[in-house]
Amino acid sequence: MTIEPQDYPPLSAEEFKVYNRAAEQMDYFHGFLRRSWNILWEAATSGRRPAHISMGQFLTEGLRFAEHLEIHHQIEETRIFPYLAKRMPEFRTGRGRQAAELLRQHREIHAGLEGFQEYLDRCLHGDEELQLDVLRGKMEGWREVLWTHLDQEVKTLGAENMRRYWSKEEMARLPM
């Protein structure tokens, strides 16, 4: 029987801080991804690259975003999620629909990220000229799942959920 969050006594401010540490750390890293995405998305939807950023810097920002997202997910999938999956079904691996939703989201994100990254790489190397409407098309297909994922992952790591699976002492040992 799983104990639901409403069955627990309220957390003190100190307990909340302990149990919410993973969510805060994840949100911190997600903040960098959100800022980079927003720079790219604003340009792609407005049709104007930011005036203070050269074309090379803009393309590098996009490729850096892709690299950071890939590394972030790789760390999650190899180090953090397997540890959390020992107790939390939200992080369990599996094939197809058996995989936890957060892992399925990773696959959807990376399916879109691949075309995005390839396009920017071709533009950076002069094989193609950057067209912001094309960039928008490369971002639109996975935009919603990315933003849902960033929010859902932080919520899943939030204090009320974490307290269901981990003690305060164990929280200090989480690989975050």
Side-chain angles (χ1 to χ4, degrees):
M1 178 177 133
T2 302
I3 300 172
E4 295 303 317
Q6 67 269 16
D7 296 333
Y8 287 99
L11 290 170
S12 69
E14 179 189 331
E15 290 169 326
F16 181 85
K17 185 177 178 180
V18 169
Y19 280 111
N20 209 52
R21 180 180 66 89
E24 287 179 11
Q25 288 177 329
M26 191 64 73
D27 200 38
Y28 175 78
F29 290 113
H30 286 182
F32 291 112
L33 297 170
R34 291 174 194 276
R35 282 188 286 284
S36 289
W37 173 276
N38 285 334
I39 290 168
L40 301 161
W41 183 252
E42 176 61 30
T45 56
S46 72
R48 291 186 316 278
R49 180 173 41 84
H52 65 286
I53 299 177
S54 72
M55 179 62 77
Q57 289 170 325
F58 182 76
L59 294 170
T60 300
E61 178 70 27
L63 290 168
R64 190 175 298 130
F65 164 79
E67 181 181 12
H68 289 167
L69 184 57
E70 284 180 338
I71 291 168
H72 178 73
H73 283 178
Q74 183 180 40
I75 291 167
E76 287 177 339
E77 290 178 12
T78 59
R79 181 164 163 75
I80 299 169
F81 285 9
Y83 186 89
L84 296 173
K86 292 174 186 178
R87 297 191 191 159
M88 300 176 75
E90 300 95 330
F91 296 101
R92 293 206 176 113
T93 59
R95 293 208 180 278
R97 300 305 284 166
Q98 299 294 75
E101 184 176 1
L102 292 169
L103 288 162
R104 289 194 311 266
Q105 290 168 349
H106 276 197
R107 288 195 291 269
E108 285 182 54
I109 290 165
H110 286 275
L113 183 63
E114 189 175 309
F116 167 84
Q117 192 171 19
E118 288 171 359
Y119 177 68
L120 291 178
D121 196 50
R122 287 193 309 273
C123 293
L124 183 67
H125 290 95
D127 300 328
E128 210 167 321
E129 185 176 325
L130 177 69
Q131 295 177 36
L132 293 172
D133 59 327
V134 172
L135 179 62
R136 180 182 178 158
K138 300 287 183 187
M139 296 174 79
E140 280 179 328
W142 52 286
R143 175 178 173 251
E144 187 175 328
V145 69
L146 173 68
W147 286 87
T148 298
H149 177 76
L150 296 175
D151 292 340
Q152 187 175 347
E153 203 169 69
V154 170
K155 183 178 180 189
T156 302
L157 293 171
E160 290 300 332
N161 194 45
M162 295 301 281
R163 76 190 300 203
R164 296 171 64 197
Y165 301 101
W166 309 97
S167 70
K168 287 189 298 185
E169 295 75 24
E170 291 169 327
M171 288 300 297
R173 293 190 299 270
L174 288 181
M176 299 281 292

